[in-house]
Each structure stands twice: as C-alpha cells, then as structure tokens.
Amino acid sequence: MTNTTEGSLVCVGTGIQIGAQLTPVARRCIEEADVVFMSVSTHIMEEWVSSMNSDVRNLQSYYEKGLPRNKTYKSMVDVVVHEVECGKKVCLALYGHPGMFAIVAHKAIEKTREIGFKARMEPGISAEDCLIADLGLDPGTCGIQQFEATQFMLYQRLIDPSAYLLLWQIGVAGDLTLTSRTPNKKSLSILLELLFEIYPESHQVVLYEARTTPLTQSRVEYLSLNELSKAQLHDYTTLVIPPCEVMKKNTDIEKRLKLIFT
C-alpha cells in the first residue's frame, strides 16, 4: 500500500566531469527537491550543486577513519530515508551514475519503497561511459566483461580471454575490511596470480582514470601486466585488460543460422 504523504526519493548522477555532464533531467530533480543529499569531498562540487538548490547536505562527514564502509553507507541511507518519511521530496545526487558502484542509492531506493514511498533512479554519465569514449572501445566488437576487483578475487569466474576485462577499484583490490583507500601489495600480488593464470605476464594492459574537469586529462597509462605491482594506483583506478586471444567461431551454430536466413 502506497503512503498518502508526498515524500519521495529520486537518485540522480552528476556525471564525471564537474559542471559538464549533468543531464537536464538530473538538474531539474535537484532544483525541484525540498532537500538534496550528496557525498563529495571537494568544495567546488558542493558549491556547484548548492547553486541549484538552497538546501544541500553533504554526507561526507559520515566517513570516519577505521569505520567499515558498510556501516557508513547504512547511516547515509537512514538519514536520506528519514527526510522522505517526513514528507519531503528528496534528491540524492551522486558522482557519475547513481547506480554504478553506489550502494547507498540502491539501498535508499529499496528502503524507501519498502515503507510505502515512491523512489526512482535517473541515469547519469558514468566512468564506464568515459572509459569507452577515451579508449575507443565498442562492446559490440568482441565484448566487455567487468567486475569489481575484490569481488573478482573472491568468486570463481569464467573469464573469456577473447573479450575485454575491466576490473574496477583496482587500488583497493582484496580489501576485506572495507576501510582501506590505498593499495596493499600482498593482496595485489594475489590478484596478479589469478590474472597470470589467464593472461601472459607481458600482456599489455591499461590503467584508466576519467578526467573530472574539462581542464584536466584522463589517465590512460599503458604497461605490461607484470608491471602492475609497481604502478601508482588509487581506489578509483580501473584496470583494462584487452583480449589476448581471438574469438573462436561456433561453426555448428553458424550453419544452423545460415539455413534460417539464406
């Protein structure tokens, strides 16, 4: 049963480049909200969003040193949903795409709907969109498979070496404490062990970081896989691994399809 009050939640993305990639729909949501929540560490981003709404609240203060991120995220969700329960039109504006590596948005929408209020998500320009543009990738050429780096390590995956592999958040790969924001050489070496089972050690890969302003440049650094342990990594660095094999055609399926379309 839907609640009769006007409280609602919309989660939007601000894009990757500050001030340059906000969609018209996201801007309207920010402008029309009773309260806007965001989580940013840069003053310029907070000022920019504040220019569109007089009540903008930064959730960045919920990050505490040593506190697991899952607890931080729960606190963020609770404060956002509380304002919805108070009957307000709430907008949660998040960096990039609100559904990509943004568990707060997903959990807030889920909880808001559970208690009977309306909640939705509007798409935004993500780091993946920027990566595809900057590197000139086309998912239709040979396919792209992508995983969060730690998840890739923890679960058994069937990796296709004839497609691209993207590993997100490579700089904190293997962190089970959910507190680190810097690389750990030991956990990174374990990741490399897994990758060396699939790819040659000399295989050329790319470290990618999207540019955040029109005046800066994206990081596109080419190196061999065995050089990864010496590279400078951040929690937002993405590892792009091109195919090391050619695609193998399924000749039986091709024959069957030719009978249908010829």
Side-chain angles (χ1 to χ4, degrees), residues 16 39 89 102 115 122 129-130 195 228 232 238 244:
I16 298 298
S39 178
K89 291 173 60 178
I115 60 177
E122 295 291 346
D129 300 313
C130 296
L195 293 175
L228 184 62
Q232 183 180 23
T238 302
C244 67

Side-chain angles (χ1 to χ4, degrees), residues 7-261:
S8 63
L9 172 65
V10 58
C11 297
V12 304
T14 60
I16 298 298
Q17 289 187 41
I18 298 174
Q21 296 177 335
L22 185 70
T23 67
V25 172
R27 175 178 288 274
R28 186 171 67 250
C29 291
I30 292 173
E31 293 173 340
E32 296 178 353
D34 295 321
V35 55
V36 178
F37 287 100
M38 61 186 307
S39 178
V40 294
S41 57
T42 60
H43 187 62
I44 187 172
M45 173 72 89
E46 187 173 0
E47 281 191 339
W48 172 54
V49 177
S50 295
S51 70
M52 293 177 266
N53 192 294
S54 60
D55 190 355
V56 175
R57 307 176 192 180
N58 196 342
L59 298 171
Q60 192 69 19
S61 61
Y62 285 89
Y63 285 105
E64 297 180 20
K65 187 175 181 180
L67 184 68
R69 288 191 292 273
N70 55 352
K71 292 185 178 181
T72 299
Y73 298 153
K74 182 182 184 304
S75 297
M76 290 179 174
V77 170
D78 290 343
V79 72
V80 169
V81 176
H82 173 72
E83 293 299 321
V84 177
E85 291 181 291
C86 291
K88 295 181 181 180
K89 291 173 60 178
V90 179
C91 177
L92 176 58
L94 298 173
Y95 181 67
H97 189 301
M100 186 170 181
F101 296 99
I103 192 171
V104 173
H106 290 287
K107 292 295 184 181
I109 288 175
E110 180 183 341
K111 186 172 181 179
T112 299
R113 289 174 176 172
E114 283 179 354
I115 60 177
F117 292 88
K118 293 181 179 179
R120 75 181 197 277
M121 180 181 291
E122 295 291 346
I125 295 178
S126 70
E128 180 188 16
D129 300 313
C130 296
L131 184 152
I132 287 174
D134 286 336
L135 299 186
L137 304 189
D138 182 355
T141 301
C142 60
I144 297 176
Q145 50 205 331
Q146 52 183 308
F147 307 95
E148 194 276 333
T150 300
Q151 186 190 81
F152 172 81
M153 297 173 69
L154 289 175
Y155 295 89
Q156 299 182 35
R157 299 289 192 173
L158 296 177
I159 302 302
D160 181 0
S162 68
Y164 278 91
L165 173 63
L166 309 185
L167 293 182
W168 299 94
Q169 301 178 335
I170 191 71
V172 290
D175 173 37
L176 301 183
T177 67
L178 300 179
T179 60
S180 178
R181 288 181 175 271
T182 56
N184 181 288
K185 290 186 177 181
K186 291 183 178 179
S187 60
L188 188 60
S189 67
I190 295 175
L191 172 62
L192 284 172
E193 287 178 17
L194 294 173
L195 293 175
F196 289 153
E197 293 177 1
I198 307 168
Y199 303 94
E201 294 187 16
S202 59
H203 188 58
Q204 188 176 67
V205 299
V206 183
L207 294 179
Y208 177 79
E209 296 168 6
R211 59 178 177 171
T212 56
T213 72
L215 300 178
T216 58
Q217 295 295 322
S218 299
R219 179 187 183 185
V220 180
E221 181 181 347
Y222 293 88
L223 67 165
S224 61
L225 192 56
N226 58 10
E227 294 176 314
L228 184 62
S229 59
K230 299 179 182 178
Q232 183 180 23
L233 303 175
H234 304 100
D235 56 348
Y236 49 85
T237 305
T238 302
L239 176 64
V240 182
I241 305 181
C244 67
E245 297 181 4
V246 298
M247 294 185 291
K248 298 176 182 178
K249 185 173 290 187
N250 190 327
T251 54
D252 290 337
I253 294 297
E254 183 183 33
K255 290 177 182 179
R256 291 171 60 186
L257 290 174
K258 284 183 176 179
L259 290 176
I260 296 174
F261 293 100

